[in-house]
Amino acid sequence: MAKMIRVPDEYHAWVKAHNEEGETMFETLRRLTREPDPEALAGILSSDEVDDARQAAERFGGRDEERLKRAREAFEE
């Protein structure tokens, strides 16, 4: 089932400007809103840099979970 969404003209123009040849607007939006393909990043970082990035992501993710928990608790009070 398809859904229609309304976006400002400026946003539509921005997405359209990033549209690659042969790509539908849906495909463009999907590409722009997803993580990069790991293969596209291969060779950019050393294995040490990858490990550092993973550790930073884990630290950040845990912090977000704690912030979310505190926000829920504050809202429930």
Side-chain angles (χ1 to χ4, degrees):
M1 174 189 275
K3 300 284 185 186
M4 301 282 296
I5 61 170
R6 292 178 189 245
V7 297
D9 290 338
E10 297 83 11
Y11 182 73
H12 184 272
W14 179 82
V15 172
K16 191 172 182 178
H18 288 84
N19 188 269
E20 294 180 354
E21 187 174 335
E23 195 174 51
T24 66
M25 289 297 278
F26 170 71
E27 292 167 334
T28 302
L29 281 168
R30 191 175 209 182
R31 178 175 48 80
L32 292 172
T33 58
R34 289 192 174 191
E35 297 174 353
D37 181 355
E39 290 182 19
L41 301 176
I44 293 175
L45 300 176
S46 70
S47 60
D48 288 341
E49 290 170 320
V50 169
D51 290 340
D52 291 345
R54 279 195 183 114
Q55 290 172 9
E58 289 171 7
R59 285 192 306 272
F60 182 76
R63 192 169 59 225
D64 271 359
E65 289 174 22
E66 183 59 32
R67 287 175 57 198
L68 180 59
K69 179 182 171 187
R70 287 195 314 265
R72 283 186 182 140
E73 290 170 353
F75 183 73
E76 291 170 356
E77 291 178 357

